[in-house]
Amino acid sequence: MDDFARHLLASSPAVVFVCKAGGDYGGLYVSENIRELIGYRPEEFLEDSGFWKDHLHPDDAERVLAGLEAVFTEGRHVCEYRFLARNGEYRWMRDELRLVHNPVTGADELVGSWLDITERKEMEEDYRRLAGLTSDYVHYCTRRGAEPYRVKWVDGAVNPISGYSIADILEMGCWLPLVHPDDRERVSAYLLGLVPGDRKTIEFRIITRNRQVRWVSEKSRCEVGAIPGELVLLGAVTDVTELKRAERALLDSENFLREAAQIARLGRWRWNIVTDEGEWSTMTQEIFGLELLDRKITYADFIAAVHPDDRGAVETALHNALQNGSDYAIEHRIVLPNGTVRHVQEKAVVRCDVAGKPVRMVGTVLDVTEQKHVETRLRDSDRTKSEFIATASHELRTPVAIIQGYSELLLGGGDFPPEQQREFLSIIHDKAIALEKIVDGLLDVSRIESGRILCLEFAAVDIVDEIRRLVAQFEKESHGHRFSLELPEAPLVMPLDRAKIVRVLENLLSNAVKYSPPGSEVSVTAAVGEGCFQVGVADRGVGLSPENRERVFDKFYRVETADTAAPGLGLGLYLVKKIVEAHRGRVWVESTLGAGSSFYFCLPLPGAVP
Ligand code: ADP
């Protein structure tokens, strides 16, 4: 052998050898690099014919020697076994042998290469163990240059998963044909992208032999191979089809729950009592007005958010639930960071450890602020109704009593001069008219209540004239109020329900008088505006608070004041609004508490678009 050939052999990672074909397979030639491989000199193999055989691992010797017989029938053979190295360690070796005829000696000899595969075997061992624990099968593949990975070895439940046998896979030599076509490109890119040292995981679908789709997860480990330019891929593959299915079902049901929770504005929370760590769903955080927190929420955080007046009740309820392991259900207020107060309904269960010690609470929180408001409004409206009945009886009784009194006087045959009799009669008449108005008002309300809109009887009415007439009448009857009037010069004839519009004006004028001190001014203005005729009645009276301004047009609503002298049913402005709206108009109020109020309404001019 020339020097160059010797040099080549010595620098190869594989030891090249020639040995006897049979017997103790004694060495005839061993390349120099055997020293680096396992520490021996080549001569040691050549001088002692039994050297190789004697250094085989006792557990492997029999299998290896028996296996070697195959070389005579097949012409080549590969085997893997442990061999005692000079340093006393067993190394895993891979032999690849070929039977050759030496024309010089005329004898058959074995020519082979020897590789140290200890590292790979250890990896395999790790993976096999791993396979026992978590995966269904493990495989070992190699690739060189731009070639795809070739399967060199595979072990485990390949068949139950894929329907193929280990032999099928080895024959195919490559996994890619099994990969679902939609995932093939991704898997291929993943495999080609692996570099030595990588520990990665990929999930993809495979198509089984009987054309079923299964999901697998592969944990891959990439290493440098024994041959230069070779990459080794060790993969532990787990069938995750069921897991995927369960995951999907979970996701579906979670999505469903999340959506339902979203619609119901139901927040969820969990609290680890032992570590005082709480997890709040996004909705819970939203209800509590918190920014998305990236830390766990503590009990102190929660209690700080509870309305100070409700803290005692919340703490007692929590204490009872933890003490007795009973359910926790409470309604309380919370104060948001921006100061808003909300009402929440909380429900939770307590989970205990085996010793019965409470360890966790799982609960829901429902924002019931709206409900609370509706309840309050209902309660208010119930109260207003009862108050209405009381005031109505009073309002009706007063004129009835007056009518009764004066008519009794007249009927009693008393000797009253004719002027006085006339005066009594006119009082009776006025009170009967007042009664009629109250009853008319009530009838209108009951009509509106039962869903019927106000029936209007339109006629051509000079609204300017009506205003002038009514103001004059109020001026005449008033006890000390001054009236100012600002009206268009020309008459303005509009199609209106005269009686109802008169009622609107009467109500506004009588309120102005009722809720302002005698001697103060009531000013009435009316003008044609943009597409409408606008009327205003302003007084310098008690005025209205912003809250009451909102509500004076509500049915039965009366402002609660210490001074209850002003009679009324709380129906006037309600009817004003309904009547004006029936005319497709609009009504509003401007007012300052203590300084006076200005009530306005506008009616669309004929032909104007409302
Ligand atoms: P009432 O018959 O009680 O006067 P209204 O519907 O006419 O009923 O008015 C409702 C409430 O609005 C009144 O009880 C009163 O408190 C308030 N209000 C009405 N007009 C005025 C006004 N001009 N100034 C101050 N408050 C008023």
Side-chain angles (χ1 to χ4, degrees):
M1 194 180 293
D2 62 21
D3 284 353
F4 181 64
R6 222 180 283 278
H7 170 73
L8 266 186
L9 285 174
S11 46
S12 147
V15 166
V16 173
F17 64 87
V18 181
C19 71
K20 291 183 209 155
D24 54 13
Y25 298 93
L28 299 172
Y29 166 80
V30 177
S31 61
E32 281 293 321
N33 53 359
I34 186 77
R35 294 171 201 266
E36 285 133 55
L37 194 71
I38 40 175
Y40 297 114
R41 288 172 294 113
E43 298 81 53
E44 286 177 89
F45 285 84
L46 309 183
E47 284 159 11
D48 175 1
S49 169
F51 194 83
W52 175 76
K53 203 171 125 215
D54 294 344
H55 285 77
L56 290 175
H57 191 290
D59 291 351
D60 296 342
E62 199 179 322
R63 168 178 64 86
V64 171
L65 292 169
L68 272 175
E69 299 292 326
V71 82
F72 302 108
T73 50
E74 308 275 320
R76 59 190 300 260
H77 180 61
V78 178
C79 57
E80 292 177 357
Y81 54 86
R82 281 160 293 179
F83 192 85
L84 188 62
R86 156 138 264 139
N87 65 4
E89 262 180 34
Y90 275 101
R91 309 286 302 170
W92 270 99
M93 311 301 287
R94 176 186 158 95
D95 259 2
E96 223 177 308
L97 301 147
R98 217 171 262 267
L99 183 67
V100 292
H101 184 73
N102 188 335
V104 181
T105 58
D108 282 345
E109 288 171 357
L110 297 180
V111 176
S113 66
W114 224 17
L115 273 175
D116 183 337
I117 54 161
T118 312
E119 214 172 295
R120 194 202 90 198
K121 275 285 174 188
E122 279 170 2
M123 283 200 282
E124 272 179 28
E125 186 46 41
D126 285 355
Y127 265 64
R128 224 185 283 267
R129 229 170 328 121
L130 201 68
L133 287 177
T134 62
S135 54
D136 296 307
Y137 65 81
V138 283
H139 60 92
Y140 166 86
C141 317
T142 60
R143 82 180 184 98
R144 258 193 266 180
E147 285 170 17
Y149 277 101
R150 314 279 319 157
V151 184
K152 295 288 171 184
W153 167 90
V154 55
D155 193 16
V158 178
N159 184 264
I161 296 176
S162 67
Y164 294 96
S165 69
I166 290 180
D168 290 337
I169 300 294
L170 287 175
E171 199 173 310
M172 263 185 252
C174 182
W175 286 106
L176 274 182
L178 259 67
V179 176
H180 191 291
D182 293 351
D183 292 349
R184 216 169 274 163
E185 204 173 311
R186 182 169 58 88
V187 172
S188 189
Y190 166 86
L191 292 174
L192 289 177
L194 288 175
V195 293
D198 270 354
R199 308 279 184 271
K200 287 188 175 169
T201 304
I202 185 171
E203 276 186 2
F204 55 91
R205 286 159 294 178
I206 58 163
I207 309 270
T208 66
R209 181 170 227 149
N210 58 5
R211 316 295 313 155
Q212 275 185 338
V213 176
R214 298 201 76 84
W215 273 95
V216 295
S217 160
E218 166 166 334
K219 281 200 178 65
S220 329
R221 171 170 163 173
C222 180
E223 300 292 343
V224 184
I227 302 163
E230 185 188 56
L231 285 181
V232 170
L233 163 71
L234 276 157
V237 182
T238 313
D239 184 341
V240 291
T241 314
E242 286 313 311
L243 201 70
K244 277 269 167 193
R245 214 167 275 158
E247 240 176 41
R248 161 105 349 247
L250 192 71
L251 207 70
D252 283 353
S253 81
E254 275 220 339
N255 280 343
F256 175 69
L257 271 183
R258 197 168 300 130
E259 270 169 31
Q262 196 80 27
I263 294 164
R265 288 193 64 74
L266 184 71
R268 290 168 296 163
W269 54 267
R270 251 197 303 243
W271 177 43
N272 183 328
I273 301 164
V274 184
T275 59
D276 187 16
E277 287 180 330
E279 279 171 54
W280 287 10
S281 72
T282 318
M283 182 53 77
T284 306
Q285 300 191 20
E286 212 174 278
I287 292 173
F288 278 77
L290 295 180
E291 294 289 314
L292 282 184
L293 289 183
D294 52 3
R295 64 172 176 85
K296 302 271 182 192
I297 286 158
T298 63
Y299 177 68
D301 290 327
F302 163 68
I303 278 295
V306 175
H307 191 289
D309 294 349
D310 294 352
R311 262 177 219 157
V314 168
E315 283 179 311
T316 312
L318 264 172
H319 178 80
N320 289 344
L322 295 180
Q323 192 85 356
N324 316 321
S326 56
D327 290 353
Y328 166 79
I330 188 171
E331 253 183 49
H332 62 84
R333 285 164 298 171
I334 54 170
V335 185
L336 272 51
N338 66 6
T340 319
V341 174
R342 316 221 89 204
H343 292 260
V344 294
Q345 190 181 65
E346 300 231 331
K347 283 191 181 148
V349 286
V350 179
R351 303 249 184 263
C352 296
D353 64 8
V354 274
K357 190 171 142 252
V359 286
R360 216 168 326 122
M361 265 183 103
V362 185
T364 57
V365 51
L366 185 67
D367 185 345
V368 292
T369 314
E370 267 314 303
Q371 262 153 271
K372 280 274 159 194
H373 285 168
V374 171
E375 271 171 30
T376 319
R377 275 202 291 273
L378 273 179
R379 245 200 321 272
D380 279 1
S381 107
D382 261 3
R383 211 193 49 218
T384 350
K385 227 171 220 167
S386 338
E387 279 172 8
F388 165 74
I389 293 169
T391 0
S393 332
H394 174 78
E395 290 294 305
L396 291 170
R397 184 167 293 152
T398 318
V400 169
I402 293 172
I403 292 172
Q404 205 178 353
Y406 282 103
S407 48
E408 272 169 13
L409 276 179
L410 288 173
L411 290 171
D415 196 9
F416 297 109
E419 307 89 78
Q420 209 167 10
Q421 287 185 19
R422 271 195 71 80
E423 197 194 328
F424 290 173
L425 279 173
S426 95
I427 292 173
I428 292 173
H429 181 249
D430 283 357
K431 292 300 160 193
I433 288 179
L435 265 183
E436 191 194 16
K437 277 190 181 150
I438 295 178
V439 173
D440 276 355
L442 289 173
L443 282 175
D444 278 344
V445 172
S446 97
R447 253 177 238 135
I448 298 166
E449 282 279 84
S450 60
R452 273 175 289 164
I453 45 160
L454 277 178
C455 252
L456 300 183
E457 287 171 28
F458 284 100
V461 177
D462 179 356
I463 176 86
V464 177
D465 186 53
E466 286 301 332
I467 297 172
R468 195 176 290 117
R469 193 181 57 78
L470 275 169
V471 171
Q473 187 186 319
F474 266 82
E475 208 163 15
K476 200 170 93 206
E477 289 169 4
S478 104
H479 305 283
H481 281 89
R482 288 177 290 117
F483 286 82
S484 75
L485 200 56
E486 231 176 88
L487 290 179
E489 297 278 314
L492 180 69
V493 179
M494 293 171 77
L496 302 168
D497 183 318
R498 187 167 166 276
K500 293 215 160 56
I501 286 297
V502 165
R503 193 130 103 233
V504 167
L505 289 163
E506 274 179 349
N507 269 322
L508 294 182
L509 286 165
S510 73
N511 277 349
V513 170
K514 225 167 30 173
Y515 301 107
S516 69
S520 64
E521 184 181 351
V522 173
S523 46
V524 180
T525 52
V528 172
E530 250 176 64
C532 75
F533 183 66
Q534 183 176 314
V535 182
V537 178
D539 63 59
R540 306 263 166 85
V542 293
L544 290 160
S545 68
E547 188 206 334
N548 286 323
R549 259 196 323 257
E550 302 270 311
R551 304 195 56 188
V552 281
F553 297 102
D554 289 356
K555 188 175 45 182
F556 306 141
Y557 189 78
R558 306 203 69 219
V559 177
E560 274 176 50
T561 50
D563 169 24
T564 47
L569 288 175
L571 287 178
L573 290 177
Y574 171 73
L575 285 171
V576 164
K577 187 165 187 258
K578 293 290 167 189
I579 294 170
V580 170
E581 284 174 355
H583 281 86
R584 294 189 301 137
R586 199 163 69 79
V587 59
W588 69 99
V589 59
E590 286 166 12
S591 179
T592 311
L593 194 61
S597 316
S598 304
F599 283 84
Y600 297 94
F601 69 93
C602 66
L603 300 168
L605 290 172
V609 183

